[in-house]
Amino acid sequence: MSDFPRWKYALVVIVLLFGIVYALPNVYTPQPAVQISGNHGSAVDATLKTKVESILATAHVPAASVDVTSSEKGSRLLARFASADAQAKASDALRGALGDDYTVALNLASTVPSWLRSINAFSMPLGLDLQGGVHFLMEVDQNAVIDGQETRYADDVRSLLRDRKISYDSVARNPRGQGIGIILRSDADRQAAASLIATEFTDLTVSDGPSTGSRFTLNAVVKPAKLRELAQSAITQNVTTLRQRVNELGVSEPLIQQQGQSQIIVELAGVQDTAEAKRLIGATATLEYRAGLYTPQQAMDAARSGSVPPDAKLYYGRDRRPYLLSKTVIATGDQLTSAVSGRDQQNGTPNVSVTLNSAAARKMQDFTNGNVGKPMAVLYITRTNDIKMVDGKEVKTPKTTEEVINYANISSPFGKQFSTNGLPSDAEASDLALLLRGGSLAAPVDIVGESVIGPSLGADNIDRGFKAVMLGLGLVLIAAAIYYKLFGIVADIALFFNLVLLVAVMSLIHVTLTMPGIAGIVLTLGMAIDANVLICERIREELRNGSSPLAAIRTGYDKAWATILDANVTHLLAALGLMTMGSGPIKGFGVTLFIGILTSMFTSVTVTHAITALIHGGRKLKTLSV
């Protein structure tokens, strides 16, 4: 087989080595662990490590290891355990001892060696059906999006007419979806208002309404394209906000994605506490801008004595530092339209640029004009429901958390757009922008469906999936070896490497392995042998036509390739359709199938050709074992 070039041999060797290395991490089983991260600025350091080790020793729960790690998301402590029972006991002990200052979450810690992690080789994350966890189907209230936008436009139009000295009797919302009704005192006022609103608010369609006596009306309706944009934006922001909240649970590889026009799927693999998950996901959050009052020393005195001035309220920052803030709210997060992190052009320090709507901008302008040099605070407020089961029923207890996330002096007057400067780091600026931008849900969501899969069922699914793959692979290997003899054994070797390459690629691109994914692997293994069947039958046909063994091999591969390509292209199109149009399990099946078809085309043709060339090349053959 001298016609098989050396560069193809090199390619086969490189690809197979790549497959072995990147599939290897899946041999290492994840270890039960407890992850601890700080709340309200609580430090995760060597002191906490010592405290955790003491707590575990007191609870008689030995840890395999306790380590503090740092990443872009901050420092976290990871305690590894030998079994899931020890993990659960340790979690209960740590939650009770550490309190609300730290988030304690169950996790599965990777046991992949550091040399593999250094080349970005990780094991495939397991899906909900294999690892266990909770599944929520959430419905976004689209009507609330329309209500909120029309209310904001009504406030902005009212403020605009007042600023431009246009007389009007009322600006109010019409029934839902029918825009805003504006009643003016003369036809001249109506014409002036119509021109002004159309210029300032290009997303509104303005038309004259009926006129009776001294009542001249205008109707301003939000354009359909803008409503669609708002609905999609609300879904996107809710997905982002939910993803930020789920990060607090310490869930590895959570699935949070849009489904259809108004639904969101949340799958938290490894989480068994549905009450805690629902409490966090169902939380509502808002922001308030308030004036800072009194000095830092007076705030500390008030915190120690409990005596707070009547015009102020006592709040705390993430570092537990006390602040005295005005009871009057300047603006809220609902009036914020954007927040972007960046750097101050003058001194290069990290900052966050904020844009308010018209109504809030006017209030902010009035306040800052008279308070230059004085402090202003950003207050972050979250409201959650602690859910407990009482007599078989869920009982919700409201809980509110308030913390000062920024406190700085006003350097100059500002209104619609302003920046918060002097932040300690780019990471802090990015986090603040995320809080400002996505701290609250853009529209209310209701949990319309939920299910829980236990870890024992997930382990059973893994066991059954593994047996299914091995059974399918074994039957195909035996059938090929018996029917096609030596060429069948070559096909079996290629089929094994096909499985290795498939797992390697899925691990490299972090495809989450689910039961449908396992089904895709089994189907891929069954389909992969089809190409070798075509090649072997072509070689048999050439031998029957009188070709020499080496010529039969060469011609068999050449003629079979076109048929193999045609067959696999149709399979690829089907898999591509499942990937792009499907979601959840269907998409997972499509991704696995798509990757498996590509790897099978390489192994079934190129790898088998290379092995066959090594076996038969340079030999005088009278017959073939096919």
Side-chain angles (χ1 to χ4, degrees), residues 45-270:
D45 51 18
T47 303
L48 176 64
K49 177 181 177 181
T50 303
K51 183 177 181 179
V52 167
E53 289 173 340
S54 175
I55 295 170
L56 295 176
T58 303
H60 303 291
V61 185
S65 65
V66 179
D67 301 302
V68 176
T69 60
S70 299
S71 65
E72 296 178 354
K73 297 180 180 179
S75 297
R76 293 183 178 183
L77 185 145
L78 195 68
R80 300 169 183 258
F81 299 92
S83 66
D85 290 339
Q87 177 197 39
K89 292 178 182 178
S91 174
D92 293 339
L94 291 169
R95 283 177 180 170
L98 297 177
D100 294 334
D101 290 337
Y102 294 92
T103 297
V104 180
L106 302 180
N107 207 340
L108 288 175
S110 173
T111 58
V112 177
S114 57
W115 70 272
L116 283 173
R117 295 198 302 269
S118 66
I119 58 173
N120 201 34
F122 298 95
S123 59
M124 276 186 291
L126 300 180
L128 191 71
D129 49 0
L130 298 181
Q131 189 177 339
V134 295
H135 169 96
F136 295 119
L137 178 61
M138 312 181 80
E139 184 84 30
V140 178
D141 187 355
Q142 300 282 24
N143 290 329
V145 178
I146 298 174
D147 291 344
Q149 187 62 27
E150 289 184 345
T151 300
R152 283 191 286 271
Y153 272 127
D155 293 339
D156 290 347
V157 168
R158 195 179 294 114
S159 177
L160 179 65
L161 296 179
R162 189 185 301 115
D163 292 343
R164 299 300 178 89
K165 304 291 190 294
I166 297 178
S167 300
Y168 67 92
D169 285 335
S170 67
V171 177
R173 288 185 56 215
N174 293 325
R176 177 180 294 154
Q178 299 181 28
I180 304 160
I182 306 159
I183 301 177
L184 300 112
R185 297 175 182 175
S186 68
D187 186 60
D189 288 336
R190 179 169 65 177
Q191 298 305 320
S195 176
L196 185 61
I197 293 170
T199 302
E200 292 290 327
F201 305 108
T202 56
D203 293 321
L204 295 177
T205 300
V206 184
S207 61
D208 292 344
S211 302
T212 56
S214 60
R215 293 169 59 88
F216 297 84
T217 62
L218 275 178
N219 290 319
V221 180
V222 184
K223 295 179 180 178
K226 181 63 176 179
L227 289 178
R228 288 193 297 271
E229 178 187 335
L230 289 170
Q232 181 57 46
S233 176
I235 289 278
T236 303
Q237 181 173 327
N238 278 3
V239 168
T240 301
T241 303
L242 290 172
R243 189 170 287 121
Q244 294 168 22
R245 294 178 180 178
V246 165
N247 285 339
E248 295 183 24
L249 284 173
V251 180
S252 59
E253 303 295 335
L255 173 65
I256 304 170
Q257 66 181 24
Q258 180 180 347
Q259 175 177 280
Q261 297 296 319
S262 62
Q263 292 182 330
I264 298 174
I265 291 176
V266 179
E267 290 186 353
L268 310 177

Side-chain angles (χ1 to χ4, degrees), residues 555-583:
T555 307
Y557 273 98
D558 291 342
K559 289 186 176 181
W561 169 243
T563 307
I564 293 170
L565 183 62
D566 288 344
N568 282 288
V569 164
T570 57
H571 293 154
L572 282 172
L573 292 175
L576 190 62
L578 293 175
M579 290 169 54
T580 55
M581 304 300 292
S583 62

Side-chain angles (χ1 to χ4, degrees), residues 451-482:
S451 59
V452 181
I453 298 177
S456 58
L457 180 58
D460 185 54
N461 285 340
I462 293 176
D463 180 61
R464 293 186 178 187
F466 179 78
K467 289 179 179 178
V469 172
M470 292 299 103
L471 179 62
L473 179 62
L475 292 175
V476 172
L477 293 179
I478 293 171
I482 292 175

Side-chain angles (χ1 to χ4, degrees), residues 327-370:
K327 291 182 177 180
T328 303
V329 179
I330 306 167
T332 66
D334 293 339
Q335 298 167 311
L336 185 147
T337 59
S338 72
V340 181
S341 62
R343 281 187 169 268
D344 184 13
Q345 294 182 354
Q346 294 183 352
N347 52 32
T349 59
N351 71 352
V352 174
S353 300
V354 172
T355 303
L356 299 174
N357 65 17
S358 299
R362 182 170 54 84
K363 294 180 183 178
M364 187 65 73
Q365 186 73 53
D366 293 341
F367 173 79
T368 55
N369 279 335

